[in-house]
């Protein structure tokens, strides 16, 4: 796996960045603004937490058509 990530990085196909969003620890997932119900998880109806994390991101824009 590390070899694949290194190859993507060398070819400028990935970048290091920060992602932030509203997260439900019960679901273990992020929710978009449209999915949130009164500031709560639509499944658990518990308040969501804003979290940010650093991660690698794949540059999909290089493969966009048109």
């Amino acid at each position: 796996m590390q070899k694949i990530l290194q190859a993507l990085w060398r070819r400028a196909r990935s970048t290091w960045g920060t992602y932030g969003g509203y997260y439900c620890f019960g679901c273990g997932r992020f929710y978009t603004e449209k999915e949130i119900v009164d500031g709560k998880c639509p499944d658990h109806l518990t308040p969501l937490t804003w979290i940010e994390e650093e991660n690698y991101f794949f540059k999909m824009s290089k493969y966009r058509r048109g």
Side-chain angles (χ1 to χ4, degrees), residues 3-59:
K3 286 183 180 184
I4 293 170
L5 291 175
Q6 286 175 338
L8 289 171
W9 184 263
R10 278 195 309 274
R11 294 182 183 128
R13 302 280 198 299
S14 65
T15 186
W16 183 255
T18 302
Y19 176 82
Y22 291 101
Y23 189 80
C24 174
F25 288 97
C27 295
R29 67 167 280 212
F30 287 95
Y31 282 94
T32 65
E33 296 279 342
K34 292 179 182 179
E35 297 173 303
I36 298 170
V37 177
D38 296 325
K40 297 179 181 178
C41 169
D43 295 327
H44 297 107
L45 301 177
T46 56
L48 297 169
T49 304
W50 177 268
I51 63 170
E52 294 182 2
E53 61 185 26
E54 292 182 331
N55 209 334
Y56 287 101
F57 294 91
F58 186 71
K59 293 182 180 179

Side-chain angles (χ1 to χ4, degrees), residues 59-66:
K59 293 182 180 179
M60 296 294 292
S61 59
K62 289 187 174 231
Y63 302 97
R64 209 178 279 161
R65 293 184 183 184

